[in-house]
């Protein structure tokens, strides 16, 4: 009986993902569009700004482990940024404006990621690609699926609120909150995991890469 219930839950979950695949694909497209725009924006940096960023990149190439920010500092900053994004995506579900807010947040996060990765690769070449893999990949492997999931859930509920404003049936607040509670838990765990990866795994991987590519 337990096995049967487990398979039943798995089938229901799979069916739910297939039924709402459009929202998840649209969320992924917003992230991808932002990433592409951020990478392309690297070419529009002015000479002065580019020189400052290149100096920072060269300093990173020659940095020692003691010169990198403290793990607690990185953790606090990462937690602040990731939690703000999760809160925006989660809260956007409770208003019709979420239909607009969600893609804006996704595009902005994609843009910042694309710009950082694009600049490192453009200026650093192959070493820059290794830096991207070491510093950005660990947490983004957690965050990108989380943003897509939160966005899909927010869009579904925001659409119901939009229909309510157009005269459709009223959305019950307890029902709406209950639908979002699991996503709040997922967001909390995902943000915490990503922040820990940024603070404790990424610096170790980054230092290993810097040691490998140092002249």
């Amino acid at each position: 009986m337990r096995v049967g219930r487990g398979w039943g839950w798995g089938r229901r979950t799979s069916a739910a993902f297939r039924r709402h695949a459009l929202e998840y694909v649209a969320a992924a497209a917003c992230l991808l569009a932002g990433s592409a725009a951020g990478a392309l924006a690297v070419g529009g940096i002015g000479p002065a700004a580019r020189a400052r960023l290149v100096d920072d990149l060269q300093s990173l190439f020659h940095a020692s482990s003691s010169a990198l920010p403290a793990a607690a500092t990185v953790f606090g900053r990462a937690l602040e940024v990731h939690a703000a994004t999760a809160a925006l995506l989660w809260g956007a579900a409770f208003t019709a404006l979420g239909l607009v807010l969600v893609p804006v947040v996704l595009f902005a996060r994609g843009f910042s990621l694309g710009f950082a990765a694009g600049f490192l690769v453009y200026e650093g070449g192959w070493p820059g690609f290794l830096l991207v893999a070491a510093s950005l990949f660990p947490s983004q492997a957690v965050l990108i699926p989380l943003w897509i999931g939160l966005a899909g859930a927010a869009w579904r509920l925001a659409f119901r609120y939009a229909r309510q404003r157009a005269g459709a049936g009223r959305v019950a607040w307890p029902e709406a909150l209950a639908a979002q509670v699991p996503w709040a838990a997922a967001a909390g765990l995902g943000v915490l995991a990503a922040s820990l990866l940024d603070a404790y795994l990424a610096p170790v991987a980054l230092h290993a890469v810097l040691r490998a590519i140092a002249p």
Side-chain angles (χ1 to χ4, degrees):
M1 292 298 292
R2 290 182 180 177
V3 174
R5 285 198 296 269
W7 279 106
W9 180 86
R11 286 194 296 269
R12 289 194 300 272
T13 302
S14 177
F17 273 96
R18 289 196 301 270
R19 186 166 60 252
H20 301 296
L22 181 61
E23 290 98 325
Y24 300 124
V25 170
C30 289
L31 278 171
L32 182 61
S35 298
L40 291 173
V42 172
I45 303 175
R50 182 180 295 276
R52 288 195 299 271
L53 290 173
V54 169
D55 287 343
D56 292 339
L57 182 59
Q58 290 176 342
S59 298
L60 181 61
F61 279 148
H62 297 93
S64 63
S65 58
S66 61
L68 297 175
T73 302
V74 176
F75 176 77
R77 178 57 180 161
L79 188 66
E80 177 184 345
V81 173
H82 301 332
T85 302
L88 283 172
L89 291 174
W90 189 84
F94 298 98
T95 171
L97 293 176
L99 295 175
V100 176
L101 179 60
V102 167
V104 170
V105 172
L106 291 175
F107 187 90
R109 281 308 300 253
F111 186 94
S112 62
L113 177 62
F115 184 86
F119 184 81
L120 286 171
V121 173
Y122 183 81
E123 294 293 342
W126 178 247
F129 178 81
L130 293 178
L131 290 177
V132 169
S135 61
L136 299 179
F137 178 78
S139 62
Q140 294 306 317
V142 174
L143 291 174
I144 289 176
L146 177 62
W147 301 152
I148 291 173
L150 283 172
W155 261 328
R156 288 194 296 277
L157 190 52
F159 180 70
R160 294 179 61 189
Y161 277 103
R163 291 185 60 198
Q164 174 181 290
R165 293 174 65 90
R170 185 173 181 81
V171 180
W173 173 257
E175 176 191 354
L177 184 60
Q180 287 296 98
V181 165
W183 284 109
L189 291 174
V191 164
L192 178 61
S195 300
L196 289 171
L197 289 171
D198 280 334
Y200 296 99
L201 177 61
V204 173
L206 182 61
H207 184 57
V209 169
L210 290 172
R211 289 178 59 187
I213 64 179

